[in-house]
Every structure is written in C-alpha cells, then in structure tokens.
Amino acid sequence: MLTHQRKQYLLDLLQREGQIVAKAVSDALQLSEDTIRRDLREMAKEGLLQRVHGGAIPNLPASPALAPYASREQISLDAKPAIGRAAAAMIDAGQVLFIDGGTTCLQLVRQLPRELHATVVTHSPSIAVELVYHPLIEVVMLGGRLFRHSIVNVGAATVEAIGRIRADLYFMGVSSLHPQAGITTGDFEEACVKRALSDAAARTVVLASPEKLNTVSPFQITPLSEVSDIVVLRDTDQALLAPYREMGIAITLA
C-alpha cells in the first residue's frame, strides 16, 4: 500500500471510528507500528488529525485553561466553587492530601471547614497562603522553580520531594480531559510534577470545570487508568461522561 493510500485509509478510519489505534492498524495492514506512527506524525503536521499516545484522534479545540492565570480566574465563575464544594466533601479528618495549583483547586481549599484536621502538601504558593487561616491543617510546601503561568513550583527538586511522601488523596487541576487523549496540560515540567503527585497518592481526583472537557493540550499527565474520580458540574452532558464511567472512573456531580 502506497503512502497516500495508507493516509486515506487512516482518515477514513478516523471519520468512521473517531480514533486511530496504531497497533490495531499495523496488525490490520500487516505493517510495522513505526510506519503507522510516521504516517500519523506527518498527518498531524498537515493539520489532518491530533496525535495522542498510541494513535490519533480528530482535531479538537485547545483548552481555554491554557490562558494566563488572571484570565482563568474569570472562567466558569459559578462552576468552580460548586466543584470545590463537592471535592471538599470527599475529605476525611486526618488524611494527607496533595492539592494542585490552579483556580479550581483554590476554590476547593476555600470550601474546607475551619475545624478540619488534615495535612496538605502543595507545590502552589497560592494554595498554601489560602490555608494560613486553617489552624488545624498542617501545610507542607514543595519547593522548586516557580512556573509563573500556573503559580506552582516545578522541576527536579519538586519531583524528588514528592517521591518521599504518600498521600491519601490527590486533587488534580487539569487543562484538558478527553477519553482518548487522557489528561493533558500545556507545560512539560508541570505535567511531570502532576504525574509524580498522582503516582504518590492512593487516589487521584480530577477537578474538571466545563471548559476543560473534550479538549486536548500538548503534554500528557497520566493515562485515565490512573484516575479514580472525576468531579464535574451537575448539568454536564451525560454523553461526555459515559466513556469515563465505562472505564470504571467514579463521577461526582457538583
């Protein structure tokens, strides 16, 4: 099969099934996965599709959550507090919590009761400052290089410190969430830190305000198989949530 014929085959498959799995295509065409991946890379450069781990999906809109922090504060003004309240209700006294940076996680800590006994580990100065007036919460700050876009610390020192802690829950803020592309964000180092936090937590809870659903950002954080819970707004289209339920992920409606 010539290159242009393979690419047309891939486009037809994408239109028909909504995704391309490189291994399945290589088996069907009896070609190497490297050949299929090369075709997909070239097609992505031509703007015909979007590459994801293991294959490709149709082109999707970029997430508004990639905007600067100040702009993100004005997005989903009603949804984020509701998601924060639902997430806060998942916490038990005495737990060790990883809490991400970002505007949705900030709403989470604002919903925590003053009498809560817990330990919060965070790489976000904004989250740490917000917890100053919670006298029964022990706050552990993770150091590193300040990534100003998200107001969080990143880098090797951050990842190393995370590896020495075991948390009950990790509340993850994300830029994008998609059934095939998984959980993605706009910065490579930030993705590495989020992945380390997820690996070090018994349970990962993704906080997903409406603008983040069905979008893709450049850097994958972790496969959806590593996620235990997703918190979304109550009126979210059930068709968007169905793939996550099929994966066994618990959906909390805020």
Side-chain angles (χ1 to χ4, degrees), residues 98 162 165-166 170 194-202 204 222 226:
F98 287 140
I162 293 166
I165 302 169
R166 289 295 175 266
Y170 168 34
K194 289 175 184 286
R195 185 161 51 252
L197 289 166
S198 181
D199 289 345
T204 294
T222 188
E226 301 299 316

Side-chain angles (χ1 to χ4, degrees), residues 52-75:
V52 296
H53 181 71
I57 57 176
N59 283 322
L60 294 169
S63 172
L66 295 176
Y69 192 94
S71 300
R72 301 201 307 275
E73 287 183 303
Q74 307 307 313
I75 299 173

Side-chain angles (χ1 to χ4, degrees), residues 11-230:
L11 284 175
D12 292 342
L13 179 65
L14 186 61
Q15 184 174 15
R16 186 169 65 252
E17 299 189 6
Q19 66 174 320
I20 295 170
V21 179
K23 187 178 187 309
V25 174
S26 71
D27 290 344
L29 299 182
Q30 296 187 326
L31 295 168
S32 72
E33 283 190 59
D34 286 342
T35 298
I36 302 304
R37 291 196 185 101
R38 184 175 63 248
D39 289 342
L40 293 176
R41 284 195 299 270
E42 291 175 359
M43 293 168 73
K45 288 179 181 178
E46 295 166 12
L48 298 174
L49 48 75
Q50 191 153 4
R51 290 279 286 117
V52 296
H53 181 71
I57 57 176
N59 283 322
L60 294 169
S63 172
L66 295 176
Y69 192 94
S71 300
R72 301 201 307 275
E73 287 183 303
Q74 307 307 313
I75 299 173
S76 296
L77 293 175
D78 295 328
K80 290 176 182 178
I83 290 170
R85 281 192 295 274
M90 302 169 75
I91 297 170
D92 294 325
Q95 287 186 318
V96 176
L97 313 169
F98 287 140
I99 300 184
D100 222 335
T103 56
T104 309
C105 287
L106 188 61
Q107 291 298 327
L108 160 61
V109 297
R110 288 175 177 171
Q111 308 301 326
L112 296 178
R114 298 291 183 193
E115 66 274 14
L116 177 66
H117 287 258
T119 299
V120 170
V121 182
T122 184
H123 61 311
S124 166
S126 303
I127 297 296
V129 169
E130 192 69 32
L131 290 169
V132 164
Y133 300 105
H134 286 73
L136 303 180
I137 295 180
E138 185 76 17
V139 181
V140 178
M141 273 290 298
L142 299 170
R145 178 182 63 82
L146 181 65
F147 177 45
R148 288 177 173 81
H149 177 272
S150 299
I151 316 183
V152 293
N153 294 329
V154 298
T158 315
V159 172
E160 182 182 8
I162 293 166
R164 300 175 185 273
I165 302 169
R166 289 295 175 266
D168 298 293
L169 287 170
Y170 168 34
F171 291 101
M172 180 193 289
V174 298
S175 298
S176 301
L177 187 64
H178 187 275
Q180 280 78 48
I183 309 165
T184 52
T185 192
D187 180 78
F188 176 77
E189 281 197 292
E190 188 176 18
C192 291
V193 170
K194 289 175 184 286
R195 185 161 51 252
L197 289 166
S198 181
D199 289 345
R203 184 175 165 198
T204 294
V205 181
V206 173
L207 309 184
S209 48
E211 75 280 0
K212 298 168 185 175
L213 295 170
N214 251 26
T215 65
V216 176
S217 299
F219 301 102
Q220 187 182 67
I221 298 167
T222 188
L224 284 164
S225 59
E226 301 299 316
V227 173
S228 52
D229 302 75
I230 300 173

